Amino acid sequence: MDNQQKLARFVEWLEENGVEMNKLELRESEKGNGIYAKAAISKDEQYIQLPHHLTITSRVCRDTLSTDSWTPKFTGTTLLHVFLIYQRFVATESSFWRPFVDVLPTEFQTPLFFADSELELLKSTNIPSATEEQRDSLQKTYQEVLEDVPETVVPRDVLTFENYVWAAMVVMSRTFTGKLLAQKDEQDTRIMLPLMDMLNHDVQAKVEFNDTENTLNVATCIGISQGDEVCYSYGPKGNDELLLGYGFIIPNNPYNRYTLRLNYTQDPLATEKQELLDQADIKTNEFYLQIGELPTDLLSLVRIMCMNDADVFYAKRDGAATNLGLRLELGARFMLALYMDNKMALLLQEKPKEMTANVRLALAYRQGIIDILQHAKNALETSILRLFDHGCQLFTSDLHSLPSYICKDGQPLPLDATEDGNRKRKRVDEDVDLAQNFIDNVLITEESFAKDPEFQTAAEQIDAEPDVLLTLFILRIRMCPNLPWHKAIVRLESFKHPMLAADDPETMEMYGEMMMEMGEVHDMLFPLLTNLFPKVFVKEYFTADLFLWAAGIVESFQLQVPANQLYNAECDEKGLCLV
């Protein structure tokens, strides 16, 4: 019997059992079987009346399966699973439920049925782990069923795990809440409603269920034109839920989301940062990304993740992990944008070997995730550009946004520099100008030495690590009022890295080796540099104490601007952000 014949017999069975469906017809489409309006259906018009004796409830399943010597111990969806296996593989052709069971799908496109190579296409998403959890859960209930169901009721050659998974997918994709019925004993269960389970998903579809004494009725809350498919909204579901539970996805799904999990347990400062997260009432490291928004707590968490030793030391001491300034605002966005880039690269890494229906579905799902990640990255880059612009304005005005635990009188960043909504981007050349202006003029990098030719000449002859050269340049800036960063450096004269500010034995011991190492570096360089370049390295500005202070500045204010076409940068730019 082909599908059309099965549908015809199903309709005949429905009508024989008192179902009212005069304006409906059943058709096969690319989505499978569906329900269509053969005449216009008005708003609030009732279009299905299903007699109660056609609803498959827990009671129906138990009465069907029970024998004189055995009653199922299991309940809920497990009862429905065994009922469906019994009806499809054990019951005779004359079974009352046969016309209904014959029109149920025998195959699904959910990941549980994907080949390994097809599932591999989704390895950088949440789907493989969720599929494994599904399989483990079904395996557990299947074992319970095997232990309980007598072979005389369901023979073991049909009570296979493969058939059990099929039944589970039918239940997952085609059942309704028992709350639709007035029966109190069915309120917390799932029920099957023949015909109604053929209503395909449309999030815009609005229906109303009404349970009467004899029938469960469905009415539309919107008009349906003749020839249109009659649908039902399964709810505001993202593509994760649709793929795992139903075997389809919706392109451009407004409810689609990507679950982002951040792991910072390997961070040496993980314990201290967790304390700051607790203070900020940030209770999760799992966030849901959707097109059009970035979760507020996501940026709050990543700012704290980006904190260095000095940030953590002072934030804990002062009990403050808010208003963290431009450096951490930028650092948080760089980290997230890099995360988006890496995730998209992984998603695009696996290429299909052949184009099966499951492969096409996997690629469509994957594209939905890429769209979310790309949108989030675009929003972050827009915000980064605004912050670059604001940083340049602060710098030229001799102002700063440093947190209060580093320096007083910090300017709060304006709202439009920290929000991450949809905004029109400037032209690409303007984007590059903004970024380059910030990197060239605000950050202190090795390229900044060019603004002090005397120092640059000396630095070219010094065999030292980049951070040591930056430490020397900080002291040189402090010495020279004509250099553009002079006021920013002077502003930090009272700042002390934790190695200089700590007064507890544990912290002092932790930084003891660092202080000793920096002291040795100073003693290697001086008075040699003063003798070689007396005008550049004036003795009183390059003492051991000042050298340690400047080394603390370099350690505490570093910002790495990652390579990005947006910034016209082919490699990372590393420098000090003092605004």
Side-chain angles (χ1 to χ4, degrees), residues 455-474:
F455 180 86
Q456 185 179 40
T457 301
E460 289 170 352
Q461 300 176 57
I462 301 172
D463 182 17
E465 294 292 326
D467 282 359
V468 173
L469 294 176
L470 279 175
T471 300
L472 294 172
F473 193 50
I474 292 297

Side-chain angles (χ1 to χ4, degrees), residues 225-409:
S225 300
Q226 182 179 355
D228 284 355
E229 185 174 10
V230 181
C231 294
Y232 163 68
S233 174
Y234 300 172
K237 298 182 185 297
N239 285 344
D240 276 29
E241 197 171 352
L242 292 175
L243 181 60
L244 289 164
Y246 301 89
F248 69 89
I249 64 103
I250 299 174
N252 304 314
N253 183 352
Y255 300 104
N256 200 21
R257 66 184 190 179
Y258 174 72
T259 306
L260 185 155
R261 296 180 182 88
L262 297 173
N263 185 351
Y264 51 91
T265 56
Q266 301 304 310
D267 188 326
L269 296 171
T271 302
E272 293 82 356
K273 289 180 179 179
Q274 185 58 56
E275 291 176 18
L276 292 173
L277 290 170
D278 292 341
Q279 287 176 21
D281 201 31
I282 299 171
K283 302 183 183 300
T284 182
N285 66 335
E286 183 174 290
F287 302 91
Y288 301 112
L289 295 183
Q290 287 185 283
I291 286 181
E293 61 183 78
L294 279 177
T296 303
D297 276 359
L298 172 60
L299 276 170
S300 300
L301 181 142
V302 179
R303 287 184 197 106
I304 292 174
M305 285 178 64
C306 289
M307 283 182 163
N308 57 36
D309 290 25
D311 295 315
V312 170
F313 177 83
Y314 283 108
K316 278 189 65 181
R317 189 195 68 178
D318 296 355
T322 56
N323 300 322
L324 298 176
L326 183 66
R327 174 176 53 85
L328 286 172
E329 291 290 352
L330 283 169
R333 285 157 176 77
F334 292 148
M335 179 182 284
L336 282 174
L338 187 61
Y339 175 94
M340 309 302 169
D341 259 343
N342 291 340
K343 274 293 178 185
M344 286 189 283
L346 287 171
L347 284 167
L348 294 169
Q349 203 172 44
E350 293 299 323
K351 304 293 183 185
K353 294 177 181 175
E354 58 177 316
M355 196 59 69
T356 65
N358 287 348
V359 166
R360 283 191 290 271
L361 184 60
L363 293 179
Y365 170 83
R366 205 165 73 170
Q367 186 58 51
I369 299 301
I370 291 170
D371 291 344
I372 291 172
L373 295 171
Q374 185 62 59
H375 191 277
K377 184 188 172 193
N378 290 346
L380 287 165
E381 288 180 342
T382 300
S383 179
I384 287 166
L385 289 170
R386 291 199 296 271
L387 288 167
F388 279 161
D389 190 27
H390 189 64
C392 292
Q393 293 176 39
L394 287 174
F395 184 69
T396 55
S397 303
D398 291 326
L399 298 172
H400 70 90
S401 67
L402 299 172
S404 59
Y405 57 77
I406 289 178
C407 189
K408 303 298 182 185
D409 304 321

Side-chain angles (χ1 to χ4, degrees), residues 385 425-436 566:
L385 289 170
R425 291 276 291 279
K426 296 184 178 183
R427 296 194 311 273
V428 173
D429 56 344
E430 291 180 345
D431 290 351
V432 172
D433 288 345
L434 270 179
Q436 209 58 52
L566 173 66

Side-chain angles (χ1 to χ4, degrees), residues 29-90:
S29 72
E30 60 182 17
K31 295 189 290 186
N33 294 331
I35 303 175
Y36 293 82
K38 62 183 181 182
I41 303 173
S42 305
K43 180 178 180 292
D44 298 326
E45 183 178 352
Q46 196 169 273
Y47 57 84
I48 295 178
Q49 289 184 348
L50 186 74
H52 283 162
H53 74 275
L54 291 186
T55 61
I56 301 176
T57 62
S58 295
R59 182 183 301 171
V60 168
C61 295
R62 190 172 286 104
D63 290 347
T64 300
L65 295 170
S66 297
T67 66
D68 292 341
S69 59
W70 176 77
T71 301
K73 294 178 182 176
F74 41 81
T75 59
T77 55
T78 306
L79 199 54
L80 283 170
H81 299 164
V82 179
F83 172 84
L84 286 170
I85 293 172
Y86 176 85
Q87 290 297 332
R88 181 181 173 190
F89 298 104
V90 180

Side-chain angles (χ1 to χ4, degrees), residues 449 452-464 468-477 479-480 522 525-543 547:
F449 299 170
D452 183 354
E454 286 185 327
F455 180 86
Q456 185 179 40
T457 301
E460 289 170 352
Q461 300 176 57
I462 301 172
D463 182 17
V468 173
L469 294 176
L470 279 175
T471 300
L472 294 172
F473 193 50
I474 292 297
L475 295 174
R476 173 70 175 174
I477 293 169
M479 170 184 153
C480 301
H522 176 269
L525 295 174
F526 295 95
L528 178 62
L529 291 182
T530 302
N531 294 335
L532 291 173
F533 310 100
K535 290 184 179 180
V536 178
F537 301 106
V538 178
K539 182 179 179 180
E540 68 235 49
Y541 288 97
F542 290 86
T543 64
F547 188 82

